[in-house]
Amino acid sequence: MEGRKTVGLAARDTTGFLSPYSFNLRKTGAEDVVLKVLCCGIDHRDLHQMRNEIHGTKYPLVPGHEVVGEVVELGSEVKKLKVGDKVGVGCIIWACGKCCSCKSNLEQYCSQKIFTVNGTYEDGTPTHGGFSSAMKMCLDYILDTVPALHPLRSYLPVLKINNIILCNIWKKNTSGSFIGSIIEETQEILEFQAEKGLTTMIEILRAGYVNEASERIERNDVRYRFVLDLDLAGSNLK
């Protein structure tokens, strides 16, 4: 079922050109939080998604994964927020809460996570960005004793998050990471910044300047973090 109607900025094709786009939010569920978007960052990832350079982009695409907003509606099971709170939203808007990754506060590795942009809710509704649960097989470690040159890619999906492949030569480790977890790591850095009074140097842009901002990002003409003021009513976009 559809909820309230809203307006965003959407790319319709691989040119990545953004223009106003009206759409309906899904009906607010028990665990949902509805925000009034105040502003949103824009970076190279947005450009790549808008132009289908990451591949798999579903159009129309409303980008924006660095969102700051104000809570305007809460689902019945939401307990930690209240209407009027200022909140932030990153790359992920949902995880199962049940798998080993979620229970370890590593929900960014949840196999059922839903991305803020270009994702799909369980009911089939597409997600729109801020421009507007079990793992199949978890091993604790892998002991690799093969002495010849061989690929490791087929091993990685069966290894638990934050665990390792042990090789019998070199005594070296290879590791990687995704985004920070929402519940623990992101919250920790936000609290640290608030405690120390740390701020970020940004350049605030009107929504009507969004396509020029994309061009500036592409040619590396950016000194500070770009943040869009999402006052669409006051923009000159058509």
Side-chain angles (χ1 to χ4, degrees):
M1 295 181 64
E2 293 184 338
R4 64 181 72 197
K5 192 170 186 176
T6 189
V7 178
L9 300 172
R12 268 70 169 194
D13 53 42
T14 55
T15 64
F17 186 84
L18 296 170
S19 58
Y21 171 64
S22 296
F23 61 95
N24 287 87
L25 301 177
R26 66 183 188 136
K27 185 177 180 181
T28 305
E31 297 180 345
D32 289 341
V33 177
V34 181
L35 307 180
K36 174 185 177 182
V37 176
L38 302 177
C39 56
C40 184
I42 176 173
D43 63 10
H44 275 96
R45 180 179 176 84
D46 295 309
L47 298 188
H48 294 321
Q49 286 194 307
M50 288 152 49
R51 299 170 181 175
N52 196 29
E53 293 170 350
I54 296 178
H55 304 302
T57 296
K58 298 183 285 287
Y59 296 104
L61 176 83
V62 179
H65 60 276
E66 300 173 350
V67 187
V68 175
E70 179 180 333
V71 176
V72 296
E73 184 182 349
L74 296 170
S76 59
E77 296 182 16
V78 179
K79 306 300 181 186
K80 294 184 178 180
L81 296 172
K82 63 181 183 298
V83 172
D85 280 352
K86 300 295 192 301
V87 297
V89 179
C91 296
I92 298 172
I93 55 172
W94 188 86
C96 74
K98 299 176 182 178
C99 68
C100 59
S101 294
C102 287
K103 290 181 178 179
S104 301
N105 288 331
L106 293 168
E107 66 279 356
Q108 69 270 38
Y109 297 105
C110 174
S111 62
Q112 299 184 47
K113 61 182 175 291
I114 298 176
F115 287 105
T116 306
V117 178
N118 206 41
T120 305
Y121 291 106
E122 290 182 305
D123 62 5
T125 305
T127 63
H128 294 297
F131 278 16
S132 66
S133 89
M135 297 180 68
K136 292 183 179 179
M137 187 176 180
C138 293
L139 300 177
D140 291 316
Y141 66 90
I142 296 174
L143 178 60
D144 182 359
T145 61
V146 179
L149 184 66
H150 61 289
L152 299 177
R153 179 175 297 180
S154 58
Y155 300 165
L156 298 178
V158 301
L159 187 64
K160 283 183 179 178
I161 301 301
N162 262 349
N163 284 281
I164 58 175
I165 295 178
L166 304 173
C167 297
N168 64 343
I169 53 174
W170 300 320
K171 197 175 176 59
K172 294 182 179 180
N173 294 325
T174 300
S175 64
S177 66
F178 191 37
I179 60 173
S181 66
I182 302 168
I183 297 173
E184 187 170 281
E185 294 169 326
T186 302
Q187 187 64 36
E188 180 182 1
I189 192 62
L190 289 175
E191 291 174 355
F192 176 81
Q193 288 180 295
E195 178 187 347
K196 304 299 183 182
L198 301 177
T199 58
T200 303
M201 299 182 74
I202 63 174
E203 181 177 345
I204 299 177
L205 309 172
R206 302 289 294 184
Y209 188 73
V210 64
N211 291 300
E212 289 83 354
S214 297
E215 294 173 1
R216 284 183 58 188
I217 290 173
E218 187 171 30
R219 62 176 184 262
N220 294 321
D221 181 23
V222 181
R223 186 172 184 182
Y224 307 114
R225 190 65 164 182
F226 277 175
V227 175
L228 294 178
D229 178 350
L230 270 298
D231 177 14
L232 297 182
S235 76
N236 59 358
L237 281 168
K238 298 180 180 180

